Each structure stands twice: as C-alpha cells, then as structure tokens.
Amino acid sequence: MISSRIASAAALALSIASSFVPSAVVSLSTTTTHGGLRLSHQPGRLSSPTAVSALHTLSFRPSPIAKSSTKSSSLSMAVEGDFDPDAIQNSIDAIQSGSKGSLKARLRALYKFTRPHTIRGTVLASIAGTTRALVDTPGALANANWGYMLPRAVIGMVALLLGNAFIVGINQIFDADIDKLNKPFLPVASGEMSGKAAWVAVGLSGVIGPAIVYNFFPLLLFKLYMLGWTLGAIYSVPPIRTKRNALAAGLTIATVRGFLLNFGVYYAVKDAIGAPFRWSPKVSFIARFMTAFATVIAVTKDLPDVEGDRAYNISTFATRVGVPKIAKGASAVLLLNYVHAILTGVLAKEATFNMIPMVGGHVALATMLLVRFRELVPEDLKSIKTYYKHIWDLFYLEYVLYTLI
C-alpha cells in the first residue's frame, strides 16, 4: 500500500547517509591564547597509553590580557559545545571505581560516543528531501496512513542511529591518538570508554543496523544504507583510510552528503509511492548546490585540526596550504555557489522556482556568509572554529529553502 511505501521512503530519508564530518574543536598548540583562556599542552605527556594523562596535558590559566571567571577558566570550547576536563576526569574515576555513579557515567560516555549531533544535517536533509518529493507528487500526502507510518519511521530512526554510531565510532577507534590532540573530550580519547567497549558498540551497531534495514525495508533501501556504511568505514579504516588523502576525503564527503543523499532520498521516495522519477529542476539544483557545499565542509572541517593532522601525517588542504588561505578560498567557493543559486533562479523558465525563496533566500544567505567572513580572523583558532560552525548553520538553512523553492 502507498502509506507503507511512504514509510519506507521516510526511513531511507533518515538512513541512507551517515555523517562523515565530525565537528571541529580547539586544537591544542604549545601555547594558545584566546577568549581570555590560555591553553598549553605538553607534547611528551600525549605519548602516554592512557587517555587520562592526555587530559592532564591540558592546563587552563587566565590570560594576562583578559580576565575570566572561575567557571569559564575550567572549560574548553568545541563546536558541539563546551567540555570540562574536570567533569571528564570525574566520569573516568566513577567508571574505574565502580561506584553508584558508574552506570550513569558509562551511559553518558556511550551517548557521547554516538555523537548524536552529527546526524543533525543528515536528518534535516532527509526530511527536506522527503517533503519535497511528497509535495511534488499529487495525492501522496492525502493517502498517508500516519498510524502505520510513524512506527515505521521509529524503526528507520533506530537504524539511522546505529549506522551513525558505527561510522563515528569506528572513526574514534582508529583516530584515538589524533583525537587526544584535536578532540580530547571524545570518550575513547579521554578514557571514558575503553577500546574493548568501543569495539563492542561498533560491532553491534554495524550488524544490527543493516539487519533492521534488510528485514523491514525494501532491497533498494538496504543497498543505499550499505553504500553509506561502506564509505563511512573506509574513510577511517586502513589500508584504504580515505581521510589520509585530502582529495579522496573531500570526494567521499561531497559524494555522500552532496549527491548521493539528495538524489537518493528523492528517488527512493518517488519509487516508494509508485511515482516515476524524473530529473526536476529543483532536484537537479539541490544536488549540484549541496555537492559544492559539502566539498567546502570537507575542506573547512580540517582547519582547527592542523596540529594533530600534521603530527600523524594526515594530509589535508589546511596542512598543505595553510589555514588562512584555505579559509579564504573555501569562503570564495561558497560565495560563488550562492551566485550560482541566484542565477539559476533568475535564468530559469517562468514558474520553475518560487522566486522569493530561490533568489531572495539565497541573497539573504550569501549576505550572512559575507558578514561572517568579515568577522573571520584566519590566524585565530577560536575565530576559525566559530566560522566553521556558521558554515554548518548555512548548510542547515539551505534545506529550509529547499522545501520552499
């Protein structure tokens, strides 16, 4: 029945791509001062096999040029939120002691291990793509059986979360040493989660997720799910480990987040509701636009991680060309992408797009980009981190426009 197939499509919309782009965090240099905090790191300590000692390499001292409160002096900022080394140490102590707080600490570490924020862009993209396909198909919404669709959507969400846990988890396992430099708050790098526990979580997620999709959804959805699963694995796992090569990593991320996600969602929804697929101008546009956008994200995600990437011979455009040049170049590419969007709307045949969101909306987003770029200080890590977060905000907003154009 149509409602069943819509539910399957909605599940695919939440499952065909997992995030390949971990959020940026403060990279620890020998002495870095920003935001009233001076972060210093002792390289020798990072060679310790325990992540606890890696956390102890962080010292937080008020900068002589700025005052900070006692609370803020214990925090280090990351794009996904502040983290407190003292709180992490307390969590490690609770887990190792087996105290009453041990279970809570373990569950909190598992939650952090899944990095739920990484699915935000995928969920939003999937909802927008599904909405676009349903709106473009007369009668699809009118025939929907929500009582049947919602349970199917929950099953699809579980599959998504497991797929996401597998990909970000295996990345943390193979990047544990790098993360002690770049992302010391992650549970494997910090010691909140042991390597054995991480492998168990990754193994269960990597098996149960595909099993759910295989047993509850059409074969097409399973194939697309496994494609994202495979690309996510080889991004981190040797000997392929595409993240070691700047071009391969960029192409992987751009393909999955740009083309595959947007084309795949729309195609799958059309197929699920029994409607023929045709390349519409709107789908063609979003596939082009988001492929270019995902390429920018693939490059800028490495800006705050230069020190750790250099230490472990991870070749990125930022390590090869330099942070200031890459930040400015990526911004220019993104601005050209907005110009392309505006011209697509202006030059299209009448009534192809809704002109207010297509032209006016992209003018507004381009203006936001320019404002944020003017605030960027390429030599300042905190500024780069903030700018990278703003790029993700623009990425999210594009999917809002997609439902309106």
Side-chain angles (χ1 to χ4, degrees), residues 222-395:
F222 176 73
K223 290 180 178 179
L224 290 173
Y225 185 94
M226 290 308 300
L227 178 58
W229 187 98
T230 302
L231 291 174
I234 65 175
Y235 178 82
S236 301
V237 178
I240 299 177
R241 195 162 161 77
T242 57
K243 70 167 291 174
R244 290 184 300 191
N245 180 277
L247 182 59
L251 289 175
T252 299
I253 295 170
T255 298
V256 174
R257 277 213 169 273
F259 178 78
L260 180 60
L261 174 59
N262 295 290
F263 166 78
V265 168
Y266 193 88
Y267 180 90
V269 174
K270 283 285 192 177
D271 178 74
I273 60 180
F277 174 83
R278 294 187 181 89
W279 275 108
S280 73
K282 297 171 183 177
V283 178
S284 180
F285 160 73
I286 201 66
R288 295 194 310 270
F289 185 92
M290 296 312 273
T291 296
F293 206 129
T295 302
V296 171
I297 288 178
V299 173
T300 56
K301 77 178 181 63
D302 299 315
L303 294 179
D305 296 340
V306 169
E307 182 180 347
D309 290 339
R310 282 176 177 161
Y312 289 90
N313 297 317
I314 301 296
S315 176
T316 68
F317 289 110
T319 59
R320 293 163 59 183
V321 180
V323 171
K325 290 182 179 179
I326 291 300
K328 293 175 183 177
S331 302
V333 170
L334 193 53
L335 181 60
L336 289 174
N337 203 30
Y338 282 118
V339 172
H340 144 257
I342 295 167
L343 291 177
T344 297
V346 171
L347 300 176
K349 293 181 180 179
E350 186 176 357
T352 299
F353 297 99
N354 293 323
M355 296 301 287
I356 292 179
M358 184 63 184
V359 176
H362 285 107
V363 168
L365 295 186
T367 302
M368 290 176 62
L369 172 66
L370 290 174
V371 170
R372 297 305 186 186
F373 179 73
R374 286 176 62 87
E375 298 171 350
L376 172 65
V377 180
E379 295 79 13
D380 180 67
L381 190 57
K382 182 178 180 182
S383 178
I384 291 171
K385 174 172 60 72
T386 301
Y387 184 62
Y388 177 70
K389 184 175 182 179
H390 290 320
I391 289 178
W392 269 100
D393 292 338
L394 292 171
F395 185 82

Side-chain angles (χ1 to χ4, degrees), residues 28 39-42 53-60 76 83 85 180 184:
L28 303 176
L39 306 183
S40 63
H41 123 247
Q42 304 164 14
S53 65
L55 281 174
H56 288 164
T57 64
L58 297 176
S59 65
F60 298 85
S76 183
F83 67 94
K180 289 175 184 178

Side-chain angles (χ1 to χ4, degrees), residues 20-40:
F20 287 85
V21 188
S23 293
V25 299
V26 174
S27 178
L28 303 176
S29 59
T30 302
T31 301
T32 307
T33 302
H34 54 73
L37 295 178
R38 175 175 294 168
L39 306 183
S40 63

Side-chain angles (χ1 to χ4, degrees), residues 124-203:
L124 185 56
S126 302
I127 292 173
T130 301
T131 301
R132 180 80 267 159
L134 294 176
V135 169
D136 289 348
T137 306
L141 290 172
N143 294 323
N145 182 351
W146 298 107
Y148 181 79
M149 289 176 62
L150 290 179
R152 300 280 289 184
V154 171
I155 294 174
M157 179 61 75
V158 171
L160 166 68
L161 294 176
L162 290 172
N164 184 77
F166 170 76
I167 290 175
V168 300
I170 206 165
N171 178 263
Q172 290 173 68
I173 290 172
F174 284 95
D175 279 6
D177 290 334
I178 303 176
D179 287 341
K180 289 175 184 178
L181 280 172
N182 292 338
K183 304 175 179 71
F185 63 91
L186 292 178
V188 176
S190 70
E192 288 181 274
M193 177 177 283
S194 68
K196 181 179 178 180
W199 273 114
V200 170
V202 165

